[in-house]
Amino acid sequence: RRKKVSYKAPVPVLLTRYAAQNLYAPVRTVEGVPGIHPVNPHLPSRITTLYPSAPVTVSPVAGWGAAGRTVVALRVRNTSSQKIVLDPRELQGQFITATFQHRWLGAAGTPEDTTTLYLVTAGRAGEAFVREPSTAR
């Protein structure tokens, strides 16, 4: 029998913090959290249905899970020449939380044109997204 893990913060907060540390912090500073494990989010290489109102490309980076929740880190890149203010309320899908690493994206081709989005889902991440349109052969 596995011992039940109890957390001092809500699981979505722990997962988001863990994902951000794993992607951006020096390895020696990443806090181990019992029960958090890497997962394959089983997502397409480009996700077009997540943020259809913005001129961005979205692609999965990594995923982690714990306590029946999954966090997926997604790269969000501006494809336009305009600055974009990011709004999690415009995301399409069934998510518990959505956290952008930065609040806005600079114009395409600038160092600020890319950020990371952390989405926490119930269960498997792939089931929380709006299905991609099937491509005609």
Side-chain angles (χ1 to χ4, degrees):
R1 265 178 76 93
R2 284 196 184 154
K3 183 175 173 281
K4 179 136 173 57
V5 179
S6 66
Y7 299 108
K8 291 178 173 41
V11 172
V13 172
L14 292 172
L15 282 169
T16 301
R17 184 183 309 142
Y18 187 84
Q21 287 178 345
N22 268 273
L23 294 176
Y24 291 104
V27 174
R28 62 183 161 65
T29 67
V30 176
E31 295 175 48
V33 180
I36 294 183
H37 54 277
V39 298
N40 179 339
H42 298 288
L43 296 171
S45 60
R46 292 192 59 178
I47 302 167
T48 62
T49 59
L50 178 65
Y51 204 171
S53 62
V56 296
T57 59
V58 178
S59 52
V61 177
W64 294 268
R69 303 285 185 247
T70 302
V71 64
V72 181
L74 302 162
R75 180 174 297 112
V76 181
R77 179 170 283 138
N78 188 352
T79 59
S80 79
S81 59
Q82 306 296 313
K83 175 180 170 178
I84 299 173
V85 176
L86 299 166
D87 186 348
R89 296 170 299 185
E90 293 181 16
L91 299 173
Q92 305 287 314
Q94 299 296 312
F95 311 111
I96 296 169
T97 61
T99 308
F100 287 102
Q101 186 83 27
H102 303 97
R103 293 186 55 220
W104 56 274
L105 293 174
T110 66
E112 298 84 23
D113 73 357
T114 303
T115 193
T116 302
L117 168 61
Y118 306 97
L119 291 176
V120 176
T121 66
R124 292 181 40 168
E127 296 163 9
F129 289 80
V130 175
R131 285 187 96 99
E132 291 292 320
S134 57
T135 52
R137 296 189 192 238

